């Protein structure tokens, strides 16, 4: 904790887990740390700064099974507390805890499209925002009207290789999550856009039209 407080400025919250039986050994903790890092890197939801300790130590078979079970409970509790660090972005379901079951997000089964001279993209709504799908082609350079927060995402994705040039456009190398369809549309076109109008389903209806129709059906 002292090292993190002194050397790292990107965090402001801490989540602590413990064993009620106080039977976690140093090897158990190292194993859990390694598996947590591996899973967080695999789902690619956040940039993982801690890569040290990502090699899991060997454990006896009984201990290994117990730690994998502990890890699953840890993942469930993290998600329930609002820290989806280990949840794939594409997973729009919520696991039931204490009899509570979240509803699936609206429009989650509809895929939306945007196409133009310099872009050709696909996306869909998930429970945490709008997901720009891997393989989408976006404009090669942002215009002055691109919102600042989207420009920062574009520059970061370019620097990390999550956005790569194919010679004429930029290609999204992984699914990318945005707070709204408009932010996703701005990322695709390189300029400020209204995602409710620009994203369209295969039948030609806009995101806004489908969302409004879905809202009207709620009693």
């Amino acid at each position: 904790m002292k090292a993190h407080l002194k050397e790292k400025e990107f965090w402001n919250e801490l989540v602590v887990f413990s064993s009620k039986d106080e039977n976690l050994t140093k090897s158990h903790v190292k194993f859990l740390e390694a598996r947590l890092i591996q899973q967080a890197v695999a789902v690619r939801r956040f940039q993982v700064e801690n890569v040290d300790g990502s090699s899991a130590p060997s454990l006896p078979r009984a201990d290994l099974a117990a730690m994998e079970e502990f890890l699953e409970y840890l993942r469930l509790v993290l998600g329930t507390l609002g820290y989806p660090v280990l949840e794939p972005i594409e997973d729009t379901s919520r696991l039931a805890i204490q009899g509570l079951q979240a509803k699936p997000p609206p429009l989650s089964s509809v895929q939306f499209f945007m196409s133009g001279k310099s872009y050709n993209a696909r996306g869909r709504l998930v429970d945490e925002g709008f997901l720009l799908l891997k393989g989408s082609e976006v404009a090669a350079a942002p215009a002055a009207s691109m919102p600042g927060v989207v420009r920062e995402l574009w520059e970061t994705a370019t620097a990390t290789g999550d956005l790569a040039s194919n010679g004429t456009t930029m290609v999204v190398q992984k699914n990318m999550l945005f707070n709204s369809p408009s932010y996703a549309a701005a990322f695709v076109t390189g300029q400020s856009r209204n995602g409710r109008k620009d994203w369209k389903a295969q039948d030609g209806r806009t995101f806004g039209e489908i969302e409004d129709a879905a809202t009207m059906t709620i009693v």
Side-chain angles (χ1 to χ4, degrees), residues 31-152:
F31 177 86
L32 291 171
E33 178 186 21
R35 293 287 287 120
L36 285 170
I37 294 173
Q38 291 168 5
Q39 291 189 13
V41 170
V43 300
R44 304 183 70 180
R45 179 180 286 273
F46 299 101
Q47 179 178 335
V48 180
E49 296 288 337
N50 182 10
V51 294
D52 295 333
S54 58
S55 297
S58 297
L59 294 177
R61 182 174 299 180
D63 286 7
L64 182 64
M67 289 304 100
E68 287 293 345
E69 183 179 11
F70 189 97
L71 188 67
E72 180 61 18
Y73 284 125
L74 190 153
R75 185 183 70 83
L76 290 175
V77 174
L78 274 175
T80 304
L81 293 175
Y83 300 96
V85 182
L86 307 179
E87 302 291 342
I89 294 175
E90 296 86 344
D91 185 5
T92 60
S93 64
R94 291 293 187 189
L95 294 170
I97 298 230
Q98 295 180 347
L100 299 178
Q101 178 69 51
K103 295 180 180 179
L107 313 181
S108 61
S109 62
V110 181
Q111 190 166 127
F112 295 92
F113 304 86
M114 283 185 64
S115 60
K117 185 177 180 180
S118 60
Y119 53 87
N120 185 16
R122 300 174 297 115
R124 61 184 178 87
L125 194 71
V126 295
D127 59 344
E128 294 176 271
F130 193 88
L131 194 67
L132 180 63
L133 298 179
K134 177 182 177 180
S136 294
E137 297 182 15
V138 309
S145 63
M146 176 183 275
V149 63
V150 182
R151 182 183 294 271
E152 291 180 7

Side-chain angles (χ1 to χ4, degrees), residues 163-176:
L163 195 60
S165 174
N166 66 356
T168 56
T169 63
M170 302 293 281
V171 181
V172 177
Q173 303 298 307
K174 69 169 187 177
N175 292 345
M176 299 184 66

